Amino acid sequence: MIPPAGAPLVLRGREVGRDADGVLRPVVMAIVNRTTDSFYAPARLADDGAALDAAHAAWTDGAAILDVGGVRAGTGPAVSESEEIERVVPFVAKVRAELPDLLLSVDTWRAEVARAAIEAGADLINDTWAGHDPGLVEVAGAAGVGVVCSHTGGALPRTDPYRVSYPTPEGADGGDPRDGVTRDVLATLRAAADRAVACGVPPSSVLVDPTHDFGKNTWHSLHLLRRTDALTALGYPVLMALSRKDFVGETLDLPPDDRLAGTLAATALAAWHGARVFRSHDVAATRHALEMVAAVRDEAPPRVARRGLA
């Protein structure tokens, strides 16, 4: 049986992933980090020219969204609000001018960075630190742009998990005792999405992200992947940020440069269970994997079908 499809994503009135042929396909969100210290070296694009080239390449390779970040997610040197704005906002404005059809996301937990990015043309605010700045979602709602609701288990921005645990849910007899993390994630995302809608974000522009690795160990992240169906059942489009992450690396005992195959396997599993948007360092490979899953799910036809027909 094919699992139910996930909710579609709409940004600024545009159904993301609906192609010219009318078919709705899963969405690739490309990554450009305006940093010098991101965990995956090829995504470090502090140079303006290199970053702009990467944006054009992502569009050519089939990304519908570009996610721009100005601060490394993990521990590292402090980056002030003004420095983050300087790294991100002029670049957003430049991409908006040169690639008007490419939707733009900004990865930030700061409300004032979000405000400046929206003024420069951002369509989506990717709040990877779970509402640490409660004003961020209010800024997004007032502007009518999309927002990503995430889960970190209460972790503070730019901290790494340390011996995190989620209690076994009561009444787990007959169920999966590992679902403590699932229940915490679902409750957090449901509450965050409800608040986003109350602040004015259109429901179809609210993405929910279980946020693998943030406030989680590898076992937690693997379990959330196998429970993707519970996330899609929330009724909001699901974002999966799996690309080359530590849980993939630890599962396979591989460094970031060698994690593509594992990432694509995780991507295919999540797509099969209805996740809608996939944040990726490898746009073309991810798009190919997603299109294959969409065809098997009978949601999108093959791009070309000749075998046995001619």
Side-chain angles (χ1 to χ4, degrees):
M1 180 180 294
I2 297 174
L9 171 66
V10 177
L11 294 175
R12 296 194 188 272
R14 168 179 160 191
E15 190 175 21
V16 188
R18 182 75 67 183
D19 288 348
D21 58 8
V23 174
L24 182 62
R25 293 180 169 88
V27 174
V28 181
M29 172 191 279
I31 301 167
V32 165
N33 289 322
R34 305 302 320 277
T35 63
T36 58
D37 58 350
S38 295
F39 82 96
Y40 182 51
R44 300 170 190 166
L45 296 164
D47 177 78
D48 289 348
L52 195 59
D53 287 347
H56 280 271
W59 175 247
T60 299
D61 286 343
I65 305 171
L66 183 72
D67 192 44
V68 182
V71 184
R72 176 190 169 108
T75 56
V79 178
S80 69
E81 184 177 280
S82 60
E83 185 177 359
E84 185 181 358
I85 288 173
E86 184 178 346
R87 290 179 177 185
V88 168
V89 171
F91 177 72
V92 167
K94 184 71 170 176
V95 176
R96 175 86 298 144
E98 293 197 15
L99 295 166
D101 292 327
L102 178 61
L103 292 163
L104 295 174
S105 168
V106 170
D107 181 348
T108 186
W109 75 90
R110 292 164 163 160
E112 291 309 310
V113 176
R115 190 189 313 278
I118 291 167
E119 291 174 356
D123 306 287
L124 176 70
I125 302 300
N126 183 10
D127 179 11
T128 51
W129 288 103
H132 177 76
D133 184 341
L136 184 147
V137 71
E138 297 169 4
V139 169
V145 303
V147 71
V148 176
C149 299
S150 61
H151 174 277
T152 64
L156 297 176
R158 308 197 67 199
T159 60
D160 292 329
Y162 178 72
R163 295 186 178 178
V164 290
S165 63
Y166 296 91
T168 299
E170 293 183 12
D173 292 345
D176 194 325
R178 296 170 295 184
D179 262 338
V181 66
T182 309
R183 293 195 183 189
D184 198 271
V185 168
L186 292 175
T188 298
L189 295 183
R190 188 180 294 110
D194 287 347
R195 180 164 186 260
V197 172
C199 287
V201 180
S204 57
S205 299
V206 175
L207 277 161
V208 293
D209 177 6
T211 327
H212 293 77
D213 282 357
F214 284 53
K216 302 167 188 73
N217 60 32
T218 288
W219 298 108
H220 294 140
S221 291
L222 287 169
H223 191 63
L224 287 168
L225 183 61
R226 70 175 63 95
R227 296 291 281 118
T228 300
D229 59 334
L231 296 163
T232 58
L234 287 171
Y236 295 97
V238 174
L239 167 65
M240 285 285 178
L242 309 170
S243 188
R244 298 181 182 267
K245 279 195 167 179
D246 282 350
F247 86 96
V248 175
E250 290 190 0
T251 298
L252 304 174
D253 192 19
L254 292 172
D257 285 354
D258 297 327
R259 296 174 185 173
L260 177 57
T263 295
L264 294 178
T267 294
L269 288 168
W272 176 255
H273 287 286
R276 176 64 58 189
V277 182
F278 295 83
R279 187 175 182 272
S280 175
H281 297 96
D282 307 278
V283 174
T286 301
R287 181 175 61 80
H288 293 157
L290 292 173
E291 290 198 10
M292 193 69 195
V293 174
V296 176
R297 281 181 53 91
D298 201 23
E299 294 174 338
R303 293 286 187 178
V304 178
R306 300 191 188 97
R307 185 173 177 83
L309 301 178

